[in-house]
Amino acid sequence: MENKEQFGSSFAAIAAMAGSAIGLGNIWRFPYMVGEYGGAAFILIYIASSLLLSVPIFFSEFIIGRRSGANCLGAMRRLAPRSRWRWLGVLCILTPSIILSYYAVVGGWSLSYLLRSFTLGFPESFGSFTAAPWKSVIAFAVYLGISCLIVAGGVKKGIGRFSKLAIPVLFVLIVVLAIYSVCLPGAGAGVDYLVKPDWSKVSTRTFVNAIGQSFYSLSLGMGIIITYASYISKDEDIVFSGAGTAGFDLFFAIIAGFAIMPAVFAAGIEPGTGPGLIFDTLPFIFCKMAESSPLLGTAVAIIFFLAVSIAALTSSVSLVEVPVAWLTEEHGFRRGKATLLVFLVTGTVGALCALGFGPLAAVKIFGHSLFEAFDLLCCNFLLPLGGLLCVLFVGWKMKPENFHDEFTNGGRLKFNEKIFGVIRFLIRYVAPVAVILIFLSNFL
Ligand code: PHE
């Protein structure tokens, strides 16, 4: 633990956490939610739920990770030896491993579409693409391999260095796209869709969705923040890290909205969400742009799919790191070997998920494909459970003086000292209720 590798700088640490936070959720889900749930009204509610709920949950995970200086299972072993809390550790290793296997399938799609952007040779339809199994399995394996190679490079030289480069590049790409998109003729309707506050669209569902989205977007409940925080120096300010991560995440999500929605409206198409938006609607728009200017259409497509691929990559890297940290710290694996093992196991499971769109389409679990079943299991059950247990652990199980010590760096951070009482209240009472709400909303 003493000479454990660290990120080495505040920027590297925040870039890695922001990289995990910024992902497909920001690109294919947030912009749509903003439009459907009241524009600026939704953004305000989203910011409030981030501040009151998601950031405090982030703090709990950060505290567990940095206090223990260990991977998820090791953290529970150190902070609550020989107790049932080890199951929280197990959960936090299991969930990201399952998510990785299907998230990397989507990463593979984005990589494949990036390559196709160069010739604008997009498939007939997204359905026809995923049904052709081998291409999508190969793209998945390449994408997972790249994620694993970055992790094998180490915390500082692999993940840290990659994130420090990826985050600025990502911002430049998305800002360029947003400027272009907003300037298209007819883009105004898309801008209105995003910014006009429409309180009539605000309902209970809006709140539940805002909470759920901010929770998912900050990569909570999956052991990532615990693991990354164990590589962060004791001198770093937890509030600064939390604000930096949440700030970058929100900024990127909003700009992604401006990159996508105005272009969608300018093309006279109904906005959508999920894979259909990225892999059907947008390629269609890029090809339409190319009819008037082939170079421009191609360039926009390349920039867009490069941004999607990088955003997905920084997230999957964080997923790979969780089980790798566990294998190296708890079982003495070398980093390279641990990464290879993670590649082989998640690679096999993920390949089955990818094949579920083609040859294995008949295999169903409770009526869902493997891909859907994993997604439902993780997002609706395992993530809220992980998040809930983390806040309960820090709020109720951890010694209050240790909680205080970690939050204020031993009383040295005056601002943190001032807000400690509020944060403790949020972690103890408000966050658990909110997470239970997210969970119950599955049954609404
Ligand atoms: N925050 C990610 C996103 O918005 C969610 C995520 C993180 C998913 C890490 C997988 C891995 O897409």
Side-chain angles (χ1 to χ4, degrees), residues 20-26 99 103 213 216-219 222 224 249 315-316 318-319:
S20 175
I22 296 169
L24 296 162
N26 303 52
I99 296 182
Y103 196 85
Q213 172 68 10
Y216 177 79
S217 196
L218 275 184
S219 302
M222 45 183 128
I224 290 174
D249 187 42
S315 294
S316 54
S318 68
L319 291 168

Side-chain angles (χ1 to χ4, degrees), residues 52-379:
L52 295 175
L53 305 164
S54 306
V55 172
I57 302 173
F58 175 98
F59 288 153
S60 329
E61 298 196 15
F62 190 107
I63 286 171
I64 296 175
R66 196 172 62 168
R67 183 85 197 161
S68 63
N71 66 91
C72 300
L73 207 72
M76 288 302 127
R77 214 166 28 73
R78 285 181 189 170
L79 301 179
R82 287 177 298 281
S83 72
R84 296 224 173 111
W85 286 103
R86 72 171 173 285
W87 291 106
L88 170 57
V90 174
L91 178 69
C92 284
I93 292 167
L94 191 68
T95 312
S97 308
I98 300 177
I99 296 182
L100 176 62
S101 58
Y102 69 86
Y103 196 85
V105 172
V106 186
W109 296 339
S110 56
L111 209 57
S112 176
Y113 272 64
L114 171 61
L115 292 181
R116 287 156 189 268
S117 303
F118 285 87
T119 53
L120 286 182
F122 296 117
E124 264 306 280
S125 71
F126 179 53
S128 67
F129 166 74
T130 50
W134 295 114
K135 280 187 192 151
S136 103
V137 171
I138 291 170
F140 155 74
V142 170
Y143 174 87
L144 184 62
I146 299 174
S147 313
C148 288
L149 278 178
I150 295 169
V151 171
V155 173
K156 188 172 174 185
K157 295 211 175 112
I159 304 173
R161 212 192 256 172
F162 170 66
S163 310
K164 278 198 289 186
L165 179 72
I167 293 299
V169 169
L170 209 48
F171 275 91
V172 172
L173 294 178
I174 206 77
V175 167
V176 168
L177 280 179
I179 294 173
Y180 173 72
S181 174
V182 168
C183 294
L184 287 170
V191 176
D192 281 352
Y193 176 76
L194 289 172
V195 297
K196 260 212 183 129
D198 182 351
W199 293 97
S200 69
K201 285 185 179 170
V202 174
S203 66
T204 327
R205 250 260 55 94
T206 316
F207 285 87
V208 173
N209 279 326
I211 297 172
Q213 172 68 10
S214 75
F215 179 87
Y216 177 79
S217 196
L218 275 184
S219 302
L220 300 174
M222 45 183 128
I224 290 174
I225 305 304
I226 297 181
T227 309
Y228 273 6
S230 75
Y231 307 130
I232 293 179
S233 141
K234 293 277 180 201
D235 296 324
E236 290 298 334
D237 180 345
I238 182 173
V239 173
F240 183 70
S241 305
T245 306
F248 276 140
D249 187 42
L250 176 67
F251 181 75
F252 185 88
I254 293 178
I255 304 296
F258 283 106
I260 295 171
M261 291 308 172
V264 170
F265 277 86
I269 298 174
E270 271 296 298
T273 172
L277 174 67
I278 295 196
F279 299 112
D280 264 330
T281 311
L282 290 171
F284 172 77
I285 295 174
F286 300 146
C287 292
K288 238 177 97 182
M289 284 175 186
E291 280 169 17
S292 45
S293 163
L295 194 64
L296 201 64
T298 314
V300 173
I302 294 173
I303 295 177
F304 178 76
F305 282 111
L306 188 60
V308 177
S309 302
I310 297 177
L313 205 52
T314 50
S315 294
S316 54
V317 160
S318 68
L319 291 168
V320 176
E321 180 57 23
V322 177
V324 166
W326 163 63
L327 287 170
T328 53
E329 292 173 20
E330 301 295 301
H331 297 285
F333 278 65
R334 292 251 196 84
R335 180 164 273 272
K337 265 206 180 135
T339 318
L340 182 63
L341 186 61
V342 171
F343 175 80
L344 292 175
V345 174
T346 52
T348 310
V349 180
L352 294 176
C353 290
L355 293 175
F357 291 90
L360 297 183
V363 180
K364 297 278 183 221
I365 302 173
F366 297 115
H368 297 287
S369 68
L370 193 58
F371 185 104
E372 285 167 354
F374 278 167
D375 190 36
L376 283 174
L377 174 71
C378 291
C379 291

